[in-house]
Amino acid sequence: MTETMQAVICHGPEDYRLQEVPVPVPGPGEALVRVEAVGICASDLKCYHGAPKFWGDENRPAWAETEVIPGHEFVGEIVQIDAAGAARWGVGVGDRVVSEQIVPCWKCRYCLRGQYHMCKPHDLYGFKRRTPGAMAEFMVYPAEALVHKVSKDLPAAHAAFTEPLSCSLHAVERAGITFDDVVVVAGCGPIGLGMVAGARAKSPAHVIALDMAPEKLLLARECGADIVINIRDEDAQAIVMELTDGYGADVYLEGTGHPSAVPQGLNLLRKLGTYVEYGVFGSDVSVDWSIISDDKELDVRGAHLGPHCWPAAIRMLESGILPMDKICTHQLPLSDFQRGLDLVASGTESVKVSLIPS
């Protein structure tokens, strides 16, 4: 194996560079992995553009450090691992594996309670120097990482979709969907489409998808939505109210990160309904909180990462139930990382963009 590799390095907002760097060396209990595919996420884009919530301001610490390799949704093949790592994860050289985006400490209050996704001193692939990400030919899975096998029969870009799909499924779990529920999903990007599929798997009365792109609404139907609404041309609230005898939806899943989607959800929900927020916002959102309290007594829940949902996401991908060829719209070489970021930024030319380092 060569001693150097190509990798994308973050030098600051809008300053990512393809460089030749040393291949990382795994330590005790770690795994060296040849990266097969890495997806570009909306959070990657926000970091790239230097959004304050990611780069830090006086009220909030930076999420992304400089001199780090980005990329937190990925799949790869193990090329080196010691006996301790192989025994811990039940894997070996040649296995195809994914790793959850958070690397927990396993010692803090949250980790000890099984809530590892909220680990206080955690690392994150692609955001912290201690855990370089996957926009490179090789990467290391630390000993503290969570690692899962995935079928080699899947195209690499499809296997890398495990990360966003696990996030979607966690949001669905947070919603507590029941058989009689009318579920509304805002946004039909990668997260929203996974929410649609996860909600449909819970067998509610209806899964309603909202978006402004006709082609994404068609995809939502293929993922399990029985009703789709183009909010550019149709009145979503009128349609939902008519469908529910004027009560409103039982569950609203927000996956866009667009400020207008928040009041939209509060108004679409019935009294005692459930609002789940997954979107990452680039600006503050203001709403009438009396809708949540005095008017409707809503349950408002956040959702973060995809804890305990990775095995289910892998099973869903391996089942072939999702139209992954239509979701994974672009696969580019690592050298085209800038085009990949630009495609994600446009919002209209792609669904999921992946880089293929090899």
Side-chain angles (χ1 to χ4, degrees):
M1 189 175 67
T2 60
E3 295 182 356
T4 62
M5 66 177 186
Q6 286 196 320
V8 177
I9 309 292
C10 164
H11 290 276
E14 299 187 8
D15 186 8
Y16 285 22
R17 308 172 200 170
L18 186 67
Q19 296 179 217
E20 197 81 11
V21 299
V23 172
V25 177
E30 299 182 334
L32 179 65
V33 176
R34 179 180 62 83
V35 179
E36 296 181 74
V38 51
I40 300 177
C41 172
S43 60
D44 292 318
L45 188 69
K46 287 185 171 70
C47 286
Y48 171 75
H49 286 299
K53 284 189 177 181
F54 288 81
W55 287 98
D57 56 22
E58 60 183 13
N59 299 313
R60 192 164 182 169
W63 278 27
E65 298 174 351
T66 55
E67 308 299 324
V68 72
I69 299 172
H72 64 277
E73 48 184 70
F74 49 80
V75 66
E77 179 184 348
I78 295 176
V79 296
Q80 185 179 335
I81 191 170
D82 64 15
R88 183 190 320 106
W89 294 322
V91 299
V93 171
D95 282 340
R96 176 187 258 186
V97 285
V98 292
S99 182
E100 298 193 25
Q101 66 278 69
I102 191 168
V103 181
C105 73
W106 300 114
K107 297 176 182 178
C108 73
R109 172 179 182 174
Y110 301 108
C111 286
L112 293 176
R113 295 182 176 184
Q115 301 160 331
Y116 65 88
H117 65 302
M118 301 306 294
C119 172
K120 187 172 177 58
H122 66 278
D123 285 323
L124 278 172
Y125 289 112
F127 297 100
K128 303 284 185 75
R129 294 189 196 96
R130 290 178 298 186
T131 46
M135 291 188 188
E137 294 180 85
F138 295 91
M139 68 184 299
V140 166
Y141 291 179
E144 297 80 13
L146 294 112
V147 176
H148 307 274
K149 283 186 187 179
V150 62
S151 172
K152 291 188 176 182
D153 293 334
L154 290 174
H158 298 190
F161 197 73
T162 304
E163 191 275 341
L165 183 56
S166 73
C167 295
S168 302
L169 297 185
H170 176 52
V172 169
E173 291 280 75
R174 291 283 287 158
I177 294 168
T178 64
F179 295 131
D180 291 330
D181 283 344
V182 172
V183 180
V184 176
V185 176
C188 297
I191 294 295
L193 292 172
M195 288 175 173
V196 167
R200 174 48 59 205
K202 297 289 186 179
S203 298
H206 295 288
V207 177
I208 302 171
L210 311 181
D211 206 284
M212 292 190 293
E215 64 276 9
K216 290 183 178 179
L217 291 170
L218 289 174
L219 261 182
R221 281 200 181 276
E222 292 192 51
C223 290
D226 56 291
I227 299 171
V228 298
I229 300 173
N230 188 325
I231 59 173
R232 189 192 304 276
D233 305 321
E234 301 174 273
D235 186 337
Q237 185 161 358
I239 294 170
V240 170
M241 291 303 169
E242 183 178 359
L243 181 70
T244 59
D245 296 324
Y247 287 99
D250 302 280
V251 173
Y252 181 85
L253 298 163
E254 202 292 299
T256 70
H258 194 284
S260 66
V262 179
Q264 172 182 261
L266 300 179
N267 289 316
L268 282 175
L269 282 169
R270 65 166 171 83
K271 294 179 180 180
L272 303 175
T274 301
Y275 180 112
V276 179
E277 181 58 65
Y278 199 93
V280 177
F281 294 87
S283 60
D284 293 339
V285 180
S286 297
V287 297
D288 179 0
W289 275 74
S290 62
I291 299 173
I292 299 168
S293 57
D294 190 48
D295 291 356
K296 295 186 176 181
E297 196 176 320
L298 299 176
D299 284 340
V300 178
R301 301 178 181 181
H304 175 60
L305 305 185
H308 309 294
C309 291
W310 284 65
I314 291 169
R315 289 195 302 271
M316 186 175 283
L317 289 169
E318 291 177 348
S319 75
I321 195 172
L322 295 176
M324 291 306 301
D325 285 334
K326 298 177 182 179
I327 292 173
C328 294
T329 51
H330 294 76
Q331 294 86 52
L332 307 173
L334 191 64
S335 57
D336 279 354
F337 73 90
Q338 187 63 59
R339 179 172 175 241
L341 289 165
D342 293 342
L343 279 168
V344 176
S346 76
T348 58
E349 301 175 63
S350 64
V351 181
K352 171 52 66 177
V353 179
S354 301
L355 302 176
I356 310 297
S358 58

